[in-house]
Structure formats: structure tokens, C-alpha cells
Amino acid sequence: MNFLEQNRKHLVRLFPTLDTEIFDRFHPSEKLSIGISAQGAATAQLEGRWIHSKHNPYREAARLLDYNSEPLTPACIFFGFGLAYQIEEFFRRFPQGNAIIVEQSPELFLKALTARDFTSLFNEKISLLIGLEAAELRAALSPLIGRNHTVIPLQAVTQTAPDYYSLAHSIVEAERSRKRVNSSTVKRFGRRWIRNLAQNLDTMGMAGNLNQLRDLFRGIPAMVIAAGPTLDTVLPDLEQLQQRMVLIATDTSLRALLRNGVTPDFTLVVDPQYWNTRHLDGLDLQRTILISESATHPRVFQHSYRAVFFSGSVFPLGGYLEPGDGPPHKLGAGGSVTTTAWDFARYIGAQEIYLSGLDLGFPEKRTHYCGSFFEQLLFTQSNRFSPYEGLIFNYLHSGEPFYHENYDGGLTLTDRRLIIYRQWFEEQIAKDSGSTFTLSPKGVKIPGIQLATVSQLLKLPPSRPLIERQIDRTLQLYTLQQQQDREKRKKQLQKRISSLIDELYRLKSIAEQGLQVIAEIEGYADDQFKHSKLQEALTTLDTLDQKLLHSASRHVVGFLINPVLEQIQEELSSSQNLQENLQSSQQVYQNLLDSANFHIEVFSSNQ
């Protein structure tokens, strides 16, 4: 059996789809020439250029990792397979590490399989992305990337397909940024979300289920209104546009609409922070329908609305507590209320969605529409020593600003914070069967979103009477449900909270036992005469680990400590030391104990 047959047999056992997708469809490349290095190992040339050293490819692979432009971590993404010396060196350093291999050419990959025995390399810690088209690559690569993945390119290979690997790198960079932002957000707001949820229990019992609005406006266009500077250009025509489409406002843009005599059909508010509730101060909200979520700041629900509907919670605890027979639909959470509003427009059936004020940048060095709460806040904070212009300048330069192409063919200033949302829209638009347009010619250009004009929208046929009929019919059912199911939903919620608290006490007990056993193990580890007690304690700790894994509340409480778990996982990937493993276990159990105590305190006081 030659190397190719041997490697194929092993690979197909691990990755069955490779048999039909790669081995049956492609042939080894003639462009890759296999040779023997001076040291005696296989090496290769690609179109006359060495992709590994002709002297010692093992030593070269070690240098590649040592001098890579990004710090080496136990999770790596390899661009270009080559003969995999760099991947073998990675696993030599991180036996418990994880690797993603991105190779644009199936032919090069197959030729490499003819050169060496890779049966000891390929295992369940490797993800193979071979010969994927651009759209497939994004869908396959994004879910695999963690916030600290390291990219290691094999330059001689990546230079043969620069556009492909440039796309791969942009996917990685965007996903790493998003994961880092998500992790930082949990650290910053995790406990705030929990407190909000506990204070919103009464509202949860009364709010309508978002599922009631599914496809309500199929065939009717919708406009999602954000708070960017270009919103000012649309406001004069908004009253006429309202006759032709469903209007969906974000909390940040609502003041501008009401000031111009337009009440949106729906207003999206999903932020957990107090300061975001200030966008609603002094506004008459009785004619708009609120779309929100259970972890939104409680102050939002002190206003009166035409109706309130909750989407499904993106947090485990919210999902655990949601009353009713069926969980509400979860709206996409791209990190911005506008991303959630766009997904809501899709959910209610709009096949054509028009975005207004979504600039994802700072046209003419402005941050928001004229008169926005943000603008007013800066005015109140300014003084002769810290003028308004200086505050704006500091804000514009606080997020690593750079210029990006806009719809006019020019450049708009944006930054690293805003560009994350561009990536989210690009990914979602690629999967959406409808059409999305923007009314912001100075906005950052987003692939898949076309530019439209207000004059084009004014030619659409009127649909306001139909929109109002659909809303009235839905609100009749909403009112009936509130009258009939209120007590039932309240009892459901109370029962789930009581069950949650019981489970939290159980989890607390497991965490306390775990910490006690770890302390015993640390005492036994240095005493050779207590080896049997050490083994017994380790067995007890393993039993507690299993109880923890099967606890019904582990996801609820574990949500707050995910950043800690990610850090520990990275550290353990490079360590098999008992003492270091015990320290990591102690961190996990201590954080779980703290989290359980916090949840018990919050929900016991809100029962």
C-alpha cells in the first residue's frame, strides 16, 4: 500500500465526506514536485519554488512557528498544507492543541498525501477545509474560530492564491474580533443582564410572544431606521414613506421620528444599560409596539406602549425561564440594535428591506443625526476647557479609525468597532432570500446591499391600510391572550424560578465539595505515603465533575464564567501538569460557586 492509499484510508475513516468530495473528484497536482532533502526527509517544490527547506524541513518548520507574525497559541489555523511539517511541529509543542487546515487546492493536498505517511498526524483535533468555494469557506470557517486562534501561513502556498487566503484571513480577523468583543461584553455586562432579567419577571409574564408576528407582513416592504448622520436626509419624506411600508425604528433613532411627526409601527430596544434607556426620555410611546428581550434594562418597561412583544432570550437563563408553551423566536444579535431590527424585518415577512441611517461610519465626521441623545449628551458634558469639538474628535479617534469605500465611490471614515457589523450584515445577506437596500450613499459599502433612493421608494404602491389591519388583528389576539393566560403564565414562571433556585443550591453544594476535595488533593500530592488517598480524592473529584456536567443549571450559571473557561482551556492545551490542572479546576469551581451564590441572591430577592 503506497502513501496515498494509506493516507486515504485513514482520512476517510476520520472524515467520511472526503472520499466523494476530494478523492473521487480530483487528482494529485503535477505542479508540486516531491524530492528528498539533504537531511533525508521529503520536501517539495511548487512551480520551481521550494515550499519546504531542501536541507532540513523539520528545523525550518520550527523556525516558522518561532518567527510567526502572531503569538503562538494552542489553537492554530494553517493556511496552506504543504507537506505539513509546520503542523507536526505545532502538535509536538501542543499535544492537546487544535488545528484548522485551510487549503485552497485539493490537487496540492492530494499530491502531498503521496509524499509522506500522515496517519499519525490526522486526528480528531484537526479540522480540514479543503477546496472550499468562498461562500462555503465563510460558513465552514467562522464557527470554528476562537478569539485567540493564531494564523500560520505557508507563504509559498498562499502566494499561489492570494485572493483566496486574503479572504480567509479577513474571515478569521472578523470572527476573532467578534469573539473578543462578546467575551468582553459578558465580563462587563453579565451580572447586569442577570439583574435585569430578575427585575423583568412580571413583564415576561405579560409580554406577547414574538412568534405571533411571524410573516405578518409578507409581501410588504419594511424600513429599518438607524441613528446615523444620513438619517437627516430621509426624515423630510418619512411621513410619505410610512404609507408604503412598515416602519421599524431603533431606540436610538426614535426621537428623530417622533420629532418629525412620524410614529413607527415597531420600536426595537434590547440594550441592558441604563444610559441607553435615556433615548426614550420624554417621548410619547403609546402608539408604537415595543419589541424587546427579557434582559433589557427594566426602566424601558416603565413607559406605556401600544403592545410589548419579547423575542427569545439569547442568554441561557432567559431561555430557561421563558413562560408559555413555545419559546419565542430568537432574533439575530450582531451586537447592534440595528442588526436585531433587520432580522426582525425578515421575521415579519418583508422581502424588501430598506435601511435608513445605517452608515457604519462617520460621514462628514458626524456620529449621529442632528439632535440625537448622544449629541445632546456631549453638549452637556462640554465646557470651555473641553469643548464639544474636542469631545467629538476624541470619540472619532478612540476606535482605531480608518477609511472604507462608500456607495458613492468615495471613502467614509469608520473604525474597528463599527466594521464588525459590516461583516455580520455581509454574512446574513448572503443567506437571505430577500433583498436589502440602503438609503445612505455615504454609508460604508456592504456586499449584497444595494443603494436605493427616496424617489424610488415614493413610487411604491400605498400599503398603510393593509398594515394597520394586520396590526389591529394581531393586537386583538394579544389582548385576548393577556386576559386568558396571564395567571397561567405567572404560575409557570414562579414554578420555574422555584425549580431554578433548588438546582442552584445543588450546584452550590457540588462546587463547595469540589473546592474541599481539591484542597485535600494538594495536601496529599506532596506525601508519598498518602498515594492511595490521593487516588481516592482524584476519583471523588472526577465524580463531582460528572455531576457538574449533568446539572440542569450548569449552562445557566456557567454563562457568567465562560471567559474564565476559555482561558483555562487554552492553558490546559499546553499543560499536563497535575498542579496546573488542579489550579484550573479550583478556578472553575470557585467561579461556579460565586456565580451560584449571585444567582441565588438575585432571584431569591425577586420572588
Side-chain angles (χ1 to χ4, degrees), residues 225-238 253 255-257 259-260 356-359 363-364 366-372 375 439-440 454:
I225 306 166
T230 60
L231 175 58
D232 289 330
T233 64
V234 179
L235 288 174
D237 298 296
L238 207 51
S253 66
R255 185 175 301 275
L257 274 65
R259 191 174 61 200
N260 282 266
S356 175
L358 182 72
D359 300 320
E364 300 177 355
R366 295 173 56 207
T367 61
H368 295 76
Y369 66 87
C370 288
S372 67
E375 187 180 80
L439 302 178
S440 304
V454 170

Side-chain angles (χ1 to χ4, degrees), residues 149-254:
H149 264 93
T150 297
V151 173
I152 300 179
L154 193 60
Q155 297 290 352
V157 175
T158 59
Q159 288 172 2
T160 63
D163 291 343
Y164 186 85
Y165 289 107
S166 176
L167 170 65
H169 196 277
S170 70
I171 294 170
V172 172
E173 188 56 42
E175 201 61 36
R176 285 190 302 199
S177 297
R178 185 183 303 168
K179 295 283 174 60
R180 287 166 185 162
V181 168
N182 289 346
S183 181
S184 298
T185 302
V186 171
K187 285 182 180 178
R188 184 179 177 189
F189 298 120
R191 295 201 168 207
R192 177 73 269 167
W193 283 324
I194 303 304
R195 288 192 181 97
N196 288 352
L197 183 58
Q199 293 178 53
N200 290 336
L201 294 176
D202 287 343
T203 308
M204 282 182 70
M206 297 170 58
N209 188 317
L210 189 71
N211 298 351
Q212 296 173 264
L213 305 180
R214 182 174 183 175
D215 291 332
L216 187 64
F217 302 104
R218 179 157 294 281
I220 301 174
M223 178 180 287
V224 172
I225 306 166
T230 60
L231 175 58
D232 289 330
T233 64
V234 179
L235 288 174
D237 298 296
L238 207 51
E239 192 169 356
Q240 292 186 63
L241 292 173
Q242 187 176 32
Q243 300 303 313
R244 293 161 171 81
M245 57 191 64
V246 178
L247 292 192
I248 303 167
T250 60
D251 49 3
T252 50
S253 66
L254 182 59

Side-chain angles (χ1 to χ4, degrees), residues 517-531:
V517 171
I518 290 168
E520 292 174 3
I521 291 173
E522 289 175 336
Y524 298 149
D526 296 328
D527 191 336
Q528 59 179 334
F529 299 105
K530 294 183 178 180
H531 180 73

Side-chain angles (χ1 to χ4, degrees), residues 54-115:
K54 61 182 178 180
H55 300 291
N56 190 333
Y58 292 103
R59 186 171 60 194
E60 180 198 47
R63 288 176 177 169
L64 175 63
L65 268 61
D66 288 337
Y67 297 104
N68 188 58
S69 61
E70 298 180 3
L72 198 61
T73 66
C76 280
I77 306 167
F78 294 91
F79 288 173
F81 183 72
L83 298 187
Y85 288 108
Q86 73 281 18
I87 305 171
E88 289 178 334
E89 175 63 18
F90 165 75
F91 279 112
R92 187 188 69 78
R93 299 185 187 193
F94 300 101
Q96 301 302 314
N98 291 279
I100 302 169
I101 299 170
V102 178
E103 173 54 66
Q104 181 265 345
S105 171
E107 294 87 353
L108 291 180
F109 179 70
L110 290 178
K111 186 59 175 280
L113 298 184
T114 69

